[in-house]
Amino acid sequence: MEFLGTTQTASYCGPKKCCGLTWLPAVQAPVIQECYQPYYLPGYRYLNSWRPSLFYKISNVQTCPEESLSTLRPPTTLPALRSALFSRYSPHDWDQSNQLQVRGAEASRLWASRLTDDSVRLLQDKDQLTHQMQQGTTRNLGQRLSDINFWKSELSYELDRLLTENQNLETVKGRLECAANEVNCPLQVALECLYHREKRIGIDLVHDNVEKNLIREVDLLKCCQQQMRKLAQRIDLQMRDNRDAQHALERDLEDKSSAQCIDEKCFNLRNTSDCISFFHGMEKIDGTISVPETWAKFSNDNIKHSQNMRADSIRLREEAEHLFETLSDQMWRQFTDTNLAFNARISEVTGVKNKLQTQLAKTLQEIFQAENTIMLLERSIMAKEGPLKVAQTRLECRTWRPNVELCRDIPQFKLVNEVFTIDDTLQTLKLRLRETQDMLQLLVMTKCRLEHELAIKANTLCIDKEKCMGMRKTFPCTPRLVGHT
């Protein structure tokens, strides 16, 4: 099929031509016509009939054929005889043509004989290849069935162990109890700080050191109060993860059982089976979503995930043996670290807010300059419209010149060049105008973003400096933390 948009007479579309006949062409293999029709796009079926040269020829009405011949051919002594001799071939050309015909016929017969022998060998090879491929596919299906059986046994073994571990976790969860309520005041302060910091907006809603320290402080304050309750919640989450792993194993087992039934049916199919039929185009449909490596890795990952869940469950059951610890010193250090983190964060946010205010002032200046540039570009574009109209009007007027006066002279070239130059200038100015307008929009968006960020930083400073630090001025004494008072 030829490429759309190219001509049949273009020099780059065909082989190079030689004007001499002294060489003999190489023996070409016979063209084998394919059994399917080539595909043509709508409207492009007969591209060979299109010649762009037809659109560039100039048709001139000639009143006298003799006049046109006299203008094309130089005058000679015997014009009729010279015109007849121009169309003759030489005897050498005639001999060369006959030799080419004879050699072409011999080459065709030689290729036909070779093609017949190759066809016989091809039939034998293809029959043997088909039989070997069917045997190989049957062996591969048998190997696939053994692989499925192996992974089914592994999945079943891991599923039994996971079910046993879930029962153990259920027993541990039933033995957990709630601890005493001794540190409500500092715990409430830390939780209020976390709740206030959740009201931060946009990018300031980050998981920073302050939030990490607050979370650690809440965990430490809840150690004596809610140790058992927290451990029970973690066990509940772990049991949910174990159930997810259990469902993954059960789903994998079910899928492998279905695949085993299908592969056993395929393994037992023969050429004489009754249930076989043609399914044209199935070899072109690839609905697979895995390869043998990823297929085995999927089951292996399910087993590893189940093993990891069982390991986490074992660690949780071991952790349930340690219920209470004295954390007064750690809670005091954590309270101090949290206050230091608050002060550092407040200083950092204040510095960023000052930088954003500086950038906002510079952005406003750039917006003013961009608006002035847009005004100058629009004036320049309007100034170029007059010369363009003059040049196009001159070109239009010159198209009314009669007959041979419609000449492509130097003024015509200059006018065309002037139109193209002015049009290119207008396009460049318009492109620059669009770029400047886009830049102005970007600057306006940047201004809006900066103002939004300043509002965010002000809100963050209000939360951290006034609300959170206003509550974190006192901390309970050690006797109250350990429950003596």
Side-chain angles (χ1 to χ4, degrees):
M1 181 186 296
E2 64 180 87
F3 295 101
L4 301 183
T6 61
T7 66
Q8 297 297 311
T9 58
S11 60
Y12 52 83
C13 289
K16 295 183 179 180
K17 298 181 179 180
C18 182
C19 58
L21 295 175
T22 58
W23 54 275
L24 295 178
V27 178
Q28 301 290 333
V31 178
I32 300 176
Q33 185 174 2
E34 298 182 355
C35 59
Y36 61 89
Q37 294 296 329
Y39 175 74
Y40 295 94
L41 293 174
Y44 293 95
R45 186 173 182 85
Y46 302 101
L47 272 175
N48 291 334
S49 62
W50 182 74
R51 296 292 184 272
S53 59
L54 298 178
F55 297 96
Y56 297 95
K57 291 183 179 179
I58 300 176
S59 59
N60 295 325
V61 180
Q62 299 178 356
T63 56
C64 182
E66 293 77 10
E67 249 179 357
S68 63
L69 289 176
S70 64
T71 58
L72 295 178
R73 188 180 301 129
T76 59
T77 307
L78 299 175
L81 182 59
R82 287 293 297 271
S83 62
L85 290 176
F86 283 160
S87 63
R88 300 301 178 90
Y89 296 97
S90 66
H92 178 71
D93 296 337
W94 183 79
D95 291 336
Q96 291 291 331
S97 177
N98 293 332
Q99 291 178 8
L100 288 176
Q101 296 295 331
V102 172
R103 292 179 182 178
E106 291 177 354
S108 299
R109 288 188 293 102
L110 178 61
W111 276 108
S113 176
R114 291 180 180 178
L115 181 61
T116 302
D117 296 338
D118 291 340
S119 298
V120 175
R121 288 193 297 270
L122 180 63
L123 290 175
Q124 297 174 354
D125 294 342
K126 293 303 179 181
D127 290 341
Q128 184 179 4
L129 177 61
T130 302
H131 182 68
Q132 291 176 354
M133 289 182 64
Q134 191 177 52
Q135 288 182 344
T137 303
T138 304
R139 287 194 301 270
N140 292 333
L141 285 173
Q143 182 64 35
R144 180 66 172 182
L145 288 173
S146 64
D147 294 341
I148 292 176
N149 288 328
F150 168 76
W151 284 110
K152 281 183 64 178
S153 62
E154 293 292 327
L155 290 170
S156 299
Y157 177 71
E158 181 60 31
L159 181 60
D160 293 337
R161 298 185 66 183
L162 184 61
L163 291 174
T164 303
E165 186 62 33
N166 285 338
Q167 293 176 359
N168 295 334
L169 274 181
E170 188 75 24
T171 303
V172 172
K173 179 183 176 182
R175 302 199 330 256
L176 293 175
E177 298 177 356
C178 297
N181 201 358
E182 296 290 341
V183 288
N184 285 333
C185 182
L187 178 61
Q188 187 66 28
V189 170
L191 290 175
E192 286 292 333
C193 290
L194 284 174
Y195 294 151
H196 284 307
R197 286 177 64 80
E198 287 296 326
K199 297 178 183 179
R200 292 173 296 172
I201 305 172
I203 194 62
D204 277 13
L205 192 62
V206 296
H207 186 61
D208 52 3
N209 290 328
V210 176
E211 188 168 353
K212 293 177 182 178
N213 282 282
L214 282 172
I215 292 174
R216 281 195 291 267
E217 182 178 347
V218 169
D219 293 338
L220 287 174
L221 292 173
K222 287 183 177 180
C223 182
C224 295
Q225 180 186 7
Q226 294 179 344
Q227 184 71 22
M228 301 300 293
R229 190 184 309 167
K230 182 179 179 182
L231 189 58
Q233 293 177 357
R234 290 173 58 192
I235 289 177
D236 189 42
L237 294 176
Q238 184 61 44
M239 291 180 64
R240 185 180 64 183
D241 294 339
N242 291 348
R243 286 193 295 269
D244 291 340
Q246 174 186 346
H247 293 161
L249 292 175
E250 292 175 349
R251 184 170 57 251
D252 198 358
L253 275 172
E254 183 180 357
D255 293 343
K256 281 182 170 47
S257 298
S258 301
Q260 185 179 15
C261 294
I262 294 173
D263 285 345
E264 285 179 354
K265 178 182 177 181
C266 295
F267 181 78
N268 295 324
L269 287 178
R270 298 294 181 268
N271 294 334
T272 57
S273 300
D274 296 335
C275 58
I276 61 175
S277 179
F278 287 107
F279 295 92
H280 297 289
M282 292 303 298
E283 67 279 0
K284 299 179 182 178
I285 300 175
D286 187 7
T288 59
I289 60 175
S290 65
V291 295
E293 292 78 8
T294 58
W295 174 79
K297 186 177 180 298
F298 179 76
S299 298
N300 191 26
D301 290 343
N302 287 335
I303 294 174
K304 286 184 177 180
H305 180 64
S306 177
Q307 292 174 351
N308 292 333
M309 294 299 103
R310 287 193 296 107
D312 294 340
S313 300
I314 293 172
R315 284 193 294 270
L316 283 177
R317 287 192 290 113
E318 292 175 353
E319 188 179 350
E321 300 297 332
H322 307 282
L323 299 178
F324 299 102
E325 293 180 2
T326 305
L327 303 174
S328 59
D329 294 337
Q330 296 181 7
M331 285 189 291
W332 173 255
R333 288 195 298 267
Q334 184 60 47
F335 178 78
T336 305
D337 293 341
T338 304
N339 288 343
L340 292 176
F342 262 112
N343 293 329
R345 185 62 178 173
I346 290 171
S347 176
E348 185 179 0
V349 173
T350 303
V352 173
K353 182 181 178 182
N354 294 333
K355 292 180 181 179
L356 289 176
Q357 288 176 346
T358 303
Q359 291 296 326
L360 179 62
K362 294 180 180 179
T363 302
L364 292 174
Q365 181 64 27
E366 289 296 331
I367 290 175
F368 176 74
Q369 294 179 359
E371 290 176 348
N372 290 337
T373 304
I374 290 174
M375 181 182 65
L376 294 176
L377 288 172
E378 289 177 348
R379 290 179 180 177
S380 178
I381 290 173
M382 293 179 62
K384 299 296 185 297
E385 292 179 356
L388 181 61
K389 291 179 181 179
V390 172
Q392 290 180 348
T393 304
R394 288 173 176 175
L395 281 175
E396 195 276 336
C397 292
R398 286 177 64 84
T399 57
W400 293 94
R401 291 175 295 172
N403 298 327
V404 75
E405 295 300 325
L406 192 63
C407 178
R408 189 176 294 178
D409 50 5
I410 294 178
Q412 184 76 11
F413 280 112
K414 294 294 184 180
L415 283 173
V416 172
N417 188 23
E418 181 182 357
V419 170
F420 277 113
T421 302
I422 296 176
D423 186 68
D424 182 66
T425 302
L426 284 174
Q427 295 299 326
T428 303
L429 292 175
K430 290 179 180 179
L431 178 62
R432 183 54 56 86
L433 177 61
R434 288 194 297 269
E435 292 176 353
T436 309
Q437 290 174 346
D438 294 339
M439 181 57 64
L440 178 60
Q441 293 296 326
L442 180 61
L443 290 173
V444 172
M445 293 174 61
T446 303
K447 169 181 167 292
C448 295
R449 285 197 298 268
L450 289 174
E451 292 175 347
H452 182 65
E453 287 295 327
L454 286 172
I456 290 174
K457 297 300 181 291
N459 178 69
T460 303
L461 286 174
C462 178
I463 291 173
D464 289 345
K465 189 174 181 180
E466 297 179 6
K467 294 183 179 180
C468 294
M469 292 303 294
M471 295 186 297
R472 300 181 61 85
K473 293 181 179 179
T474 59
F475 192 75
C477 60
T478 302
R480 295 190 61 183
L481 290 177
V482 298
H484 294 296
T485 59

